[in-house]
Amino acid sequence: MTELARQEELDVADDLGVELVRTIRLLAKAKAKLSSIPGSADHSSFPIIATLVCEGPRRTSALAEALHTEVSTISRQTSALVQQGLIERQADPNDGRACLLAPTAAGRELYELARQERNRWLAATLRDWDADDVERLIGLLTRLNIDLADNLGASHDPTRQGEKA
């Protein structure tokens, strides 16, 4: 590869980086707005509920791995969610000494409310887009997420397991 071609790739990466940072900021603002649903969990804890709803009960360590975070962080967040009645601890049928975390009915209801609110917001945001452009965006984001996970060496990506969070 020539130095010019390499520089062109870096220039394109810079343009993409600028737009990704802008997207992340706007999505963070939207996430804060959408997390104001009455009865909702702290928006940083919501991925826990979504993962448990979409993938089923799991141990704290497996949840931490799925969410690419530390066990201590998940432990603290799940304790709060248990106190709020959004998730519960269940005996692990494979190991009586361990417990699994699972969403409660209230947690599932909250997940659905948040998902519906997010979907209404996205539909309103994209209402003037051509259907083909929306499909193309979905395909490109899916591809980007797969490549990001691969490049990060992510052993597990819950979004690739049918998560609709």
Side-chain angles (χ1 to χ4, degrees):
M1 173 180 294
T2 69
E3 187 61 34
L4 179 61
R6 177 85 173 127
Q7 187 57 49
E8 287 174 1
E9 283 183 357
L10 292 174
D11 290 345
V12 169
D14 186 55
D15 291 344
L16 177 60
V18 167
E19 288 306 317
L20 284 174
V21 167
R22 184 172 173 225
T23 300
I24 290 166
R25 287 182 182 148
L26 289 167
L27 288 174
K29 188 172 186 173
K31 188 175 184 180
K33 179 181 176 182
L34 293 173
S35 70
S36 64
I37 298 168
S40 66
D42 173 351
H43 67 84
S44 65
S45 298
F46 193 76
I48 293 171
I49 297 170
T51 300
L52 295 174
V53 167
C54 295
E55 296 186 21
R58 55 191 55 243
R59 290 183 181 190
T60 303
S61 58
L63 194 53
E65 182 181 340
L67 295 172
H68 310 290
T69 192
E70 299 295 320
V71 172
S72 61
T73 301
I74 294 295
S75 227
R76 185 177 57 257
Q77 291 174 326
T78 56
S79 291
L81 292 170
V82 167
Q83 288 178 346
Q84 294 171 6
L86 298 172
I87 66 173
E88 63 186 359
R89 290 183 175 90
Q90 301 174 342
D92 184 338
N94 298 322
D95 181 353
R97 300 167 294 166
C99 72
L100 299 175
L101 298 165
T104 62
R108 288 180 187 282
E109 183 178 334
L110 175 63
Y111 167 79
E112 284 303 323
L113 283 171
R115 183 175 169 202
Q116 290 168 13
E117 183 65 23
R118 184 215 46 213
N119 291 348
R120 282 190 289 274
W121 179 79
L122 281 170
T125 299
L126 300 174
R127 75 177 159 262
D128 294 331
W129 284 45
D130 179 73
D132 289 340
D133 286 344
V134 173
E135 286 300 316
R136 197 169 18 266
L137 175 64
I138 293 167
L140 289 171
L141 285 173
T142 299
R143 182 177 171 189
L144 176 63
N145 286 328
I146 290 168
D147 289 347
L148 285 170
D150 287 349
N151 195 20
L152 291 169
S155 61
H156 176 73
D157 183 357
T159 59
R160 299 307 318 141
Q161 300 298 320
E163 179 181 328
K164 300 287 185 181

